[in-house]
PDB file of all heavy atoms in Angstrom:
ATOM      1  N   MET A 523      11.896  29.576   5.071  1.00  0.00           N
ATOM      2  CA  MET A 523      12.847  30.677   5.255  1.00  0.00           C
ATOM      3  C   MET A 523      13.440  31.109   3.922  1.00  0.00           C
ATOM      4  O   MET A 523      13.587  32.313   3.646  1.00  0.00           O
ATOM      5  CB  MET A 523      13.955  30.221   6.213  1.00  0.00           C
ATOM      6  CG  MET A 523      14.772  31.356   6.782  1.00  0.00           C
ATOM      7  SD  MET A 523      13.789  32.396   7.895  1.00  0.00           S
ATOM      8  CE  MET A 523      14.982  33.680   8.266  1.00  0.00           C
ATOM      9  N   GLY A 524      13.781  30.136   3.084  1.00  0.00           N
ATOM     10  CA  GLY A 524      14.335  30.468   1.773  1.00  0.00           C
ATOM     11  C   GLY A 524      13.331  31.204   0.900  1.00  0.00           C
ATOM     12  O   GLY A 524      13.690  32.139   0.166  1.00  0.00           O
ATOM     13  N   LEU A 525      12.081  30.796   0.984  1.00  0.00           N
ATOM     14  CA  LEU A 525      11.041  31.463   0.212  1.00  0.00           C
ATOM     15  C   LEU A 525      10.859  32.904   0.685  1.00  0.00           C
ATOM     16  O   LEU A 525      10.706  33.826  -0.126  1.00  0.00           O
ATOM     17  CB  LEU A 525       9.732  30.681   0.349  1.00  0.00           C
ATOM     18  CG  LEU A 525       8.538  31.183  -0.465  1.00  0.00           C
ATOM     19  CD1 LEU A 525       8.844  31.143  -1.946  1.00  0.00           C
ATOM     20  CD2 LEU A 525       7.302  30.334  -0.161  1.00  0.00           C
ATOM     21  N   TYR A 526      10.907  33.119   1.991  1.00  0.00           N
ATOM     22  CA  TYR A 526      10.757  34.486   2.517  1.00  0.00           C
ATOM     23  C   TYR A 526      11.946  35.361   2.120  1.00  0.00           C
ATOM     24  O   TYR A 526      11.778  36.513   1.711  1.00  0.00           O
ATOM     25  CB  TYR A 526      10.633  34.428   4.044  1.00  0.00           C
ATOM     26  CG  TYR A 526      10.613  35.790   4.694  1.00  0.00           C
ATOM     27  CD1 TYR A 526       9.483  36.598   4.624  1.00  0.00           C
ATOM     28  CD2 TYR A 526      11.732  36.268   5.370  1.00  0.00           C
ATOM     29  CE1 TYR A 526       9.462  37.847   5.208  1.00  0.00           C
ATOM     30  CE2 TYR A 526      11.725  37.520   5.959  1.00  0.00           C
ATOM     31  CZ  TYR A 526      10.591  38.304   5.873  1.00  0.00           C
ATOM     32  OH  TYR A 526      10.577  39.551   6.446  1.00  0.00           O
ATOM     33  N   GLU A 527      13.158  34.829   2.216  1.00  0.00           N
ATOM     34  CA  GLU A 527      14.338  35.611   1.852  1.00  0.00           C
ATOM     35  C   GLU A 527      14.338  35.947   0.366  1.00  0.00           C
ATOM     36  O   GLU A 527      14.745  37.048  -0.034  1.00  0.00           O
ATOM     37  CB  GLU A 527      15.600  34.826   2.224  1.00  0.00           C
ATOM     38  CG  GLU A 527      15.795  34.683   3.730  1.00  0.00           C
ATOM     39  CD  GLU A 527      16.960  33.778   4.074  1.00  0.00           C
ATOM     40  OE1 GLU A 527      17.528  33.184   3.125  1.00  0.00           O
ATOM     41  OE2 GLU A 527      17.308  33.674   5.267  1.00  0.00           O
ATOM     42  N   ALA A 528      13.877  35.015  -0.467  1.00  0.00           N
ATOM     43  CA  ALA A 528      13.804  35.293  -1.902  1.00  0.00           C
ATOM     44  C   ALA A 528      12.749  36.359  -2.195  1.00  0.00           C
ATOM     45  O   ALA A 528      12.929  37.219  -3.067  1.00  0.00           O
ATOM     46  CB  ALA A 528      13.493  34.013  -2.669  1.00  0.00           C
ATOM     47  N   ALA A 529      11.639  36.321  -1.455  1.00  0.00           N
ATOM     48  CA  ALA A 529      10.583  37.309  -1.678  1.00  0.00           C
ATOM     49  C   ALA A 529      11.012  38.700  -1.230  1.00  0.00           C
ATOM     50  O   ALA A 529      10.560  39.711  -1.779  1.00  0.00           O
ATOM     51  CB  ALA A 529       9.313  36.882  -0.940  1.00  0.00           C
ATOM     52  N   MET A 530      11.902  38.776  -0.229  1.00  0.00           N
ATOM     53  CA  MET A 530      12.363  40.081   0.272  1.00  0.00           C
ATOM     54  C   MET A 530      13.060  40.882  -0.821  1.00  0.00           C
ATOM     55  O   MET A 530      12.984  42.116  -0.851  1.00  0.00           O
ATOM     56  CB  MET A 530      13.308  39.856   1.450  1.00  0.00           C
ATOM     57  CG  MET A 530      12.598  39.463   2.744  1.00  0.00           C
ATOM     58  SD  MET A 530      11.844  40.865   3.571  1.00  0.00           S
ATOM     59  CE  MET A 530      13.300  41.768   4.078  1.00  0.00           C
ATOM     60  N   THR A 531      13.758  40.200  -1.717  1.00  0.00           N
ATOM     61  CA  THR A 531      14.517  40.882  -2.769  1.00  0.00           C
ATOM     62  C   THR A 531      13.771  40.944  -4.093  1.00  0.00           C
ATOM     63  O   THR A 531      14.334  41.408  -5.086  1.00  0.00           O
ATOM     64  CB  THR A 531      15.860  40.149  -2.982  1.00  0.00           C
ATOM     65  OG1 THR A 531      15.589  38.785  -3.358  1.00  0.00           O
ATOM     66  CG2 THR A 531      16.684  40.155  -1.700  1.00  0.00           C
ATOM     67  N   ASN A 532      12.535  40.472  -4.099  1.00  0.00           N
ATOM     68  CA  ASN A 532      11.759  40.453  -5.345  1.00  0.00           C
ATOM     69  C   ASN A 532      10.980  41.754  -5.477  1.00  0.00           C
ATOM     70  O   ASN A 532      10.188  42.109  -4.597  1.00  0.00           O
ATOM     71  CB  ASN A 532      10.796  39.266  -5.337  1.00  0.00           C
ATOM     72  CG  ASN A 532      10.222  38.987  -6.717  1.00  0.00           C
ATOM     73  OD1 ASN A 532       9.861  39.901  -7.434  1.00  0.00           O
ATOM     74  ND2 ASN A 532      10.120  37.708  -7.058  1.00  0.00           N
ATOM     75  N   PRO A 533      11.181  42.518  -6.593  1.00  0.00           N
ATOM     76  CA  PRO A 533      10.460  43.801  -6.749  1.00  0.00           C
ATOM     77  C   PRO A 533       8.947  43.646  -6.767  1.00  0.00           C
ATOM     78  O   PRO A 533       8.221  44.587  -6.437  1.00  0.00           O
ATOM     79  CB  PRO A 533      10.971  44.315  -8.110  1.00  0.00           C
ATOM     80  CG  PRO A 533      12.259  43.597  -8.333  1.00  0.00           C
ATOM     81  CD  PRO A 533      12.108  42.259  -7.688  1.00  0.00           C
ATOM     82  N   LEU A 534       8.462  42.463  -7.144  1.00  0.00           N
ATOM     83  CA  LEU A 534       7.018  42.266  -7.207  1.00  0.00           C
ATOM     84  C   LEU A 534       6.361  42.358  -5.835  1.00  0.00           C
ATOM     85  O   LEU A 534       5.153  42.539  -5.734  1.00  0.00           O
ATOM     86  CB  LEU A 534       6.699  40.918  -7.858  1.00  0.00           C
ATOM     87  CG  LEU A 534       7.135  40.756  -9.319  1.00  0.00           C
ATOM     88  CD1 LEU A 534       6.864  39.339  -9.792  1.00  0.00           C
ATOM     89  CD2 LEU A 534       6.387  41.752 -10.203  1.00  0.00           C
ATOM     90  N   TYR A 535       7.153  42.207  -4.774  1.00  0.00           N
ATOM     91  CA  TYR A 535       6.591  42.231  -3.430  1.00  0.00           C
ATOM     92  C   TYR A 535       6.687  43.621  -2.786  1.00  0.00           C
ATOM     93  O   TYR A 535       6.422  43.768  -1.601  1.00  0.00           O
ATOM     94  CB  TYR A 535       7.312  41.207  -2.539  1.00  0.00           C
ATOM     95  CG  TYR A 535       6.861  39.790  -2.772  1.00  0.00           C
ATOM     96  CD1 TYR A 535       7.463  38.989  -3.724  1.00  0.00           C
ATOM     97  CD2 TYR A 535       5.812  39.247  -2.032  1.00  0.00           C
ATOM     98  CE1 TYR A 535       7.047  37.694  -3.953  1.00  0.00           C
ATOM     99  CE2 TYR A 535       5.381  37.948  -2.243  1.00  0.00           C
ATOM    100  CZ  TYR A 535       5.999  37.178  -3.205  1.00  0.00           C
ATOM    101  OH  TYR A 535       5.577  35.887  -3.419  1.00  0.00           O
ATOM    102  N   GLN A 536       7.101  44.630  -3.535  1.00  0.00           N
ATOM    103  CA  GLN A 536       7.254  45.963  -2.970  1.00  0.00           C
ATOM    104  C   GLN A 536       5.966  46.761  -3.007  1.00  0.00           C
ATOM    105  O   GLN A 536       5.894  47.844  -2.432  1.00  0.00           O
ATOM    106  CB  GLN A 536       8.360  46.709  -3.731  1.00  0.00           C
ATOM    107  CG  GLN A 536       9.697  45.990  -3.726  1.00  0.00           C
ATOM    108  CD  GLN A 536      10.147  45.604  -2.327  1.00  0.00           C
ATOM    109  OE1 GLN A 536      10.070  46.422  -1.399  1.00  0.00           O
ATOM    110  NE2 GLN A 536      10.608  44.374  -2.160  1.00  0.00           N
ATOM    111  N   SER A 537       4.947  46.274  -3.694  1.00  0.00           N
ATOM    112  CA  SER A 537       3.663  46.950  -3.729  1.00  0.00           C
ATOM    113  C   SER A 537       2.901  46.699  -2.430  1.00  0.00           C
ATOM    114  O   SER A 537       3.248  45.793  -1.664  1.00  0.00           O
ATOM    115  CB  SER A 537       2.846  46.445  -4.920  1.00  0.00           C
ATOM    116  OG  SER A 537       2.547  45.069  -4.757  1.00  0.00           O
ATOM    117  N   PRO A 538       1.852  47.484  -2.146  1.00  0.00           N
ATOM    118  CA  PRO A 538       1.062  47.233  -0.918  1.00  0.00           C
ATOM    119  C   PRO A 538       0.508  45.819  -0.852  1.00  0.00           C
ATOM    120  O   PRO A 538       0.515  45.194   0.208  1.00  0.00           O
ATOM    121  CB  PRO A 538      -0.062  48.284  -1.008  1.00  0.00           C
ATOM    122  CG  PRO A 538       0.519  49.379  -1.841  1.00  0.00           C
ATOM    123  CD  PRO A 538       1.411  48.715  -2.840  1.00  0.00           C
ATOM    124  N   VAL A 539       0.014  45.312  -1.997  1.00  0.00           N
ATOM    125  CA  VAL A 539      -0.488  43.938  -2.007  1.00  0.00           C
ATOM    126  C   VAL A 539       0.653  42.963  -1.771  1.00  0.00           C
ATOM    127  O   VAL A 539       0.525  41.982  -1.024  1.00  0.00           O
ATOM    128  CB  VAL A 539      -1.194  43.628  -3.350  1.00  0.00           C
ATOM    129  CG1 VAL A 539      -1.645  42.175  -3.387  1.00  0.00           C
ATOM    130  CG2 VAL A 539      -2.379  44.555  -3.537  1.00  0.00           C
ATOM    131  N   GLY A 540       1.786  43.241  -2.395  1.00  0.00           N
ATOM    132  CA  GLY A 540       2.936  42.367  -2.216  1.00  0.00           C
ATOM    133  C   GLY A 540       3.430  42.348  -0.787  1.00  0.00           C
ATOM    134  O   GLY A 540       3.845  41.310  -0.268  1.00  0.00           O
TER     135      GLY A 540
END
Side-chain angles (χ1 to χ4, degrees):
M523 196 67 185
L525 184 61
Y526 174 75
E527 292 174 354
M530 285 282 292
T531 59
N532 194 318
L534 297 175
Y535 282 89
Q536 303 308 314
S537 64
V539 177

